Amino acid sequence: MATQTILTDTYKLYPSPRNAQNVVFEHQLFLPYPYALIHLPDFDLAGAASLFAACRLADMKMGQLVTFDLAVDQARFERLFTPD
């Protein structure tokens, strides 16, 4: 089955098959690490979050986009995330 692509004004997104839901939440963080392994349950987030492979349209930079329902979850992720 082909992966559904989501196109926004800023990104072309490819949802992770591990997402519980493929929602692009308000709080977003672009990571320029396309091959980093990110397992969202390891971060003990309070709200919902989604992970996407992403192409940033402004410069065609590949990476990953993590989106969060809650701003506190984004802050927690930024504090705890270290690329491989």
Side-chain angles (χ1 to χ4, degrees), residues 4-61:
Q4 180 184 4
T5 303
I6 300 169
L7 187 62
T8 70
D9 291 340
T10 311
Y11 301 103
K12 186 172 189 178
L13 303 173
Y14 304 89
S16 169
R18 293 185 178 167
N19 283 346
Q21 51 195 345
N22 291 327
V23 176
V24 180
F25 295 106
E26 177 182 357
H27 307 285
Q28 303 174 0
L29 179 63
F30 179 80
L31 303 168
Y33 309 106
Y35 303 108
L37 298 176
I38 300 171
H39 187 244
L40 291 175
D42 290 347
F43 293 91
D44 295 321
L45 303 174
S50 294
L51 177 66
F52 301 90
C55 177
R56 188 168 53 196
L57 299 176
D59 59 2
M60 300 307 283
K61 177 85 173 167

Side-chain angles (χ1 to χ4, degrees), residues 61-80:
K61 177 85 173 167
M62 294 300 294
Q64 296 182 65
L65 183 73
V66 187
T67 70
F68 308 90
D69 191 28
L70 305 173
V72 294
D73 284 341
Q74 180 179 351
R76 178 178 177 78
F77 181 88
E78 288 183 57
R79 188 178 74 248
L80 297 176

